[in-house]
Structure formats: structure tokens, C-alpha cells
Amino acid sequence: MPKVKTKSGAKKRFSLTGTGKIKRKHAFKSHILTKKSTKRKRELTKAGLVHTSDEGRVRDMLKI
């Protein structure tokens, strides 16, 4: 039986918290930043959590 491989893109994008939840980064923080408010840009910098409905798919990609 071959090894089960983690999706390399998912490995770069997601990480686990101490309680086992999956952390993610926010989108829309890379370009066209002049029209976005300072508050919005600051909030996008903070990490978010993967929604519970998507968590199963992400866990499958990470093989955890």
C-alpha cells in the first residue's frame, strides 16, 4: 500500500490550532489596496478559521 500524500497547496495554505481547528488566511489582501479602507486591510491581515461545512474537505486534503 503506498503512502497517503498531502496536497502540497493545502499544506501551504492551512494550519492547525491547538484545539484542532483549521486556520486560514483571508483573501483580497494582495493588490488594489488603495481603494480599501485601512480598517478593512487590517482585518484581512488577521487569520480566520475554516467554516465547519468546509472543514471535512480541508482535512481530507491535509490527510488529518
Side-chain angles (χ1 to χ4, degrees):
M1 189 81 185
K3 288 190 206 175
V4 180
K5 290 196 173 181
T6 299
K7 299 283 184 194
S8 60
K11 180 173 55 176
K12 296 170 194 170
R13 286 174 172 85
F14 302 106
S15 62
L16 283 176
T17 63
T19 56
K21 294 177 183 173
I22 302 172
K23 269 195 318 191
R24 66 174 177 84
K25 291 185 172 146
H26 283 98
F28 309 114
K29 185 62 172 61
S30 59
H31 68 294
I32 314 176
L33 298 173
T34 52
K35 63 173 77 172
K36 294 177 180 121
S37 69
T38 310
K39 179 181 178 180
R40 183 175 166 195
K41 288 185 280 192
R42 188 171 59 245
E43 291 297 317
L44 290 173
T45 303
K46 298 173 184 173
L49 294 175
V50 171
H51 195 267
T52 51
S53 60
D54 297 319
E55 202 169 315
R57 271 182 292 182
V58 175
R59 284 188 184 276
D60 189 48
M61 287 189 281
L62 294 173
K63 306 297 185 214
I64 53 174

